[in-house]
Amino acid sequence: MPATPAPSPSPARTTGSPPAEGPVLPRCGGVALVASLLGFTVITVDVSAVNIALPAIRDSLSGGMAGLQWVVDAYTLMFAALMLSAGALADRIGARRAYAWGVALFTLASLGCALAPGIGVLVGARVAQGAAAAIVMPASLALIRQAYDDSRARARAIALWTVGGSVAMAAGPVLGGLLTDSAGWRAVFLLNLPVGAVILGLLVRVQRSPRRPAALDGGGQLTAVLALAGLAFAVIEGGHLGWTSGPVLAAAALAIASGYAFYVVEARHRQPMVPLGMLRDRRVAVPLAVGFALNAAFYGGIFLLGLYYQQLRGMSAIAAGLMFVPMSAVVTATNLVSPRLAERIGRRPVIVAGQLVFTGAMLAMLPLAPHTPVWLVLVLLLPLSVGGALAVPAVTALLMDAVPQERAGTASGLLNSLRQTGGALSVALFGSLLAGPGGDFSLPGMRVGLLAVAALLFATAVLSRLLLPRGGSRVQGLGGAEA
């Protein structure tokens, strides 16, 4: 869903000599930008393209609805959890090296996905993909900041980076449908191999990145992964094994225990990856809650619609992908308008309006049925296109203004992590509700899920109206898209 990229944890330049490993290459801003843009694009396309390929994956590997949920959430959960410390890793080993490692791992994991003989292997490869994407995201921005000294040139480069993400999100469903129909679902993952090779080739011409000391919070990172994994397992498998089954209760207990351990570790760590004191500021806490709710609605809606088009309406994969094109175009346009609107009327009205529009979008989808006219489906999806794209840039800008400059990377990582978590848990919830008798698409389950997400959005809209400051209409940052 559209997002405003916050400053990377890595500084634009650091003092001190670079590591002695080979000759120092001249600055190649254009090459660094292309390499960064390609990486951001491929991890963005992977999210939306795989959603369209899910029915074909189920038919090929017989994974059932739970298997499809794990194909999506294995990627998203690792992306969400490791995003918290990936920026520190990029600082510690250098952005170029971290980016190369991330791209190489993502490429190898994509090959593993394409060759997966069963759903278990596919889910495992998706875990590796998500971990790699978490490294690629902050390192790609750090490369751009390193390559451009001039602030205006750097701003234009970041704008191109973000617009590229928007285009990738729009193209993903179409590309996923085209590849799935013409060459099979494995081609969706094989496409990443030549792109990865091109990126690694470009990085040879990119200047080495300086390193700086950066603390890695291993205890906090481990407990965060365990908490999110336990929570996702409980929600996904609860709908299939039963909410009182032993494995589900054990997963819920693991999530609670790991969440408490995370709190204890962060409270005692000298340099925690999530400073708990920062969360006491309502200008931080409310945007984080809003980001969670917005992504829950957006990614839950995309997951639902991809299955609705193909399983309930019998559309081909390419036809289902084309159904997302108008929505993606409106998302991109609204994302560019949102910062200007916030400058005129203030951020709080834009944030509240975006959430209320999104609430309406969830409610507007309630009448969807197997024979709803296609034109009416597209009209009903317009609020889904506008709501999140309207609110996210203003939410991100408000959060960036609420924290000190040295905490900008931390706040950005936390926001992106919670947004991805919201998307993952929403997919888990919708998947549990959508699986009807015999694995058929359940319209009643769809409607329960839509009502639940609508209630969450309305609650965060009320919180925004009551707790966010009235002033502060100046928006910092650029609109864009994120995986």
Side-chain angles (χ1 to χ4, degrees), residues 437-461:
D440 296 330
F441 189 99
S442 169
L443 276 175
M446 178 192 78
R447 289 164 183 151
V448 171
L450 290 172
L451 287 172
V453 175
L456 175 63
L457 284 166
F458 184 76
T460 54

Side-chain angles (χ1 to χ4, degrees), residues 291-318:
F292 178 94
L294 290 173
N295 257 42
F298 187 81
Y299 282 115
I302 295 298
F303 177 79
L304 181 155
L305 289 170
L307 297 177
Y308 164 78
Y309 290 141
Q310 295 179 75
Q311 291 191 359
L312 202 62
R313 299 190 67 104
M315 289 184 175
S316 66
I318 183 61

Side-chain angles (χ1 to χ4, degrees), residues 75-374:
Y75 179 93
T76 308
L77 287 171
M78 288 303 292
F79 192 9
L82 297 184
M83 181 74 73
L84 294 171
S85 58
L89 176 65
D91 287 345
R92 193 182 184 96
I93 69 173
R96 189 183 74 165
R97 175 175 290 183
Y99 191 61
W101 286 5
V103 170
L105 176 58
F106 189 87
T107 304
L108 290 174
S110 297
L111 179 61
C113 290
L115 299 178
I119 199 73
V121 175
L122 177 58
V123 170
R126 290 286 284 170
V127 168
Q129 271 195 319
I135 299 172
V136 167
M137 175 66 73
S140 66
L141 263 181
L143 276 182
I144 293 176
R145 296 192 69 178
Q146 166 189 311
Y148 293 90
D149 281 332
D150 180 74
S151 60
R152 291 185 178 181
R154 186 165 59 246
R156 288 193 296 269
I158 293 176
L160 288 173
W161 183 85
T162 56
V163 170
S166 292
V167 173
M169 180 60 74
V174 180
L175 187 60
L178 180 63
L179 290 172
T180 300
D181 274 353
S182 61
W185 64 267
R186 298 179 191 274
V188 173
F189 298 106
L190 289 173
L191 180 66
N192 298 334
L193 273 60
V195 178
V198 170
I199 295 172
L200 293 175
L202 290 172
L203 287 177
V204 175
R205 299 179 55 198
V206 174
Q207 184 187 34
R208 289 193 322 258
S209 302
R211 307 178 195 178
R212 71 177 180 88
L216 295 178
D217 184 0
Q221 185 62 81
L222 176 61
T223 52
V225 171
L226 290 175
L228 290 179
L231 184 57
F233 185 94
V235 177
I236 290 175
E237 300 298 338
H240 306 282
L241 301 178
W243 297 102
T244 59
S245 65
V248 171
L249 292 178
L254 174 65
I256 294 171
S258 299
Y260 179 74
F262 176 82
Y263 172 81
V264 172
V265 168
E266 296 305 279
R268 295 179 178 179
H269 201 284
R270 289 185 177 181
Q271 292 181 290
M273 60 185 186
V274 180
L276 299 178
M278 188 173 68
L279 302 181
R280 299 188 185 99
D281 187 341
R282 62 185 181 181
R283 296 174 302 163
V284 173
V286 174
L288 293 178
V290 172
F292 178 94
L294 290 173
N295 257 42
F298 187 81
Y299 282 115
I302 295 298
F303 177 79
L304 181 155
L305 289 170
L307 297 177
Y308 164 78
Y309 290 141
Q310 295 179 75
Q311 291 191 359
L312 202 62
R313 299 190 67 104
M315 289 184 175
S316 66
I318 183 61
L322 289 171
M323 290 291 289
F324 288 97
V325 172
M327 183 181 76
S328 300
V330 174
V331 164
T332 302
T334 306
N335 192 39
L336 296 174
V337 170
S338 173
R340 298 172 186 171
L341 185 63
E343 288 178 354
R344 289 192 175 188
I345 67 174
R347 290 174 182 155
R348 188 178 71 176
V350 171
I351 292 170
V352 173
Q355 292 173 91
L356 292 178
V357 169
F358 224 149
T359 302
M362 296 294 103
L363 298 177
M365 291 168 62
L366 289 174
L368 290 181
H371 303 294
T372 304
V374 171

Side-chain angles (χ1 to χ4, degrees), residues 379-453:
V379 170
L380 292 176
L381 294 184
L382 286 178
L384 181 64
S385 310
V386 174
L390 194 63
V392 169
V395 165
T396 310
L398 179 66
L399 178 63
M400 290 301 100
D401 279 357
V403 298
Q405 180 62 33
E406 63 270 17
R407 292 294 189 189
T410 300
S412 171
L414 185 56
L415 175 63
N416 288 326
S417 178
L418 281 175
R419 289 182 61 203
Q420 296 298 326
T421 301
L425 293 180
S426 179
V427 168
L429 174 65
F430 272 112
S432 298
L433 294 171
L434 288 176
D440 296 330
F441 189 99
S442 169
L443 276 175
M446 178 192 78
R447 289 164 183 151
V448 171
L450 290 172
L451 287 172
V453 175

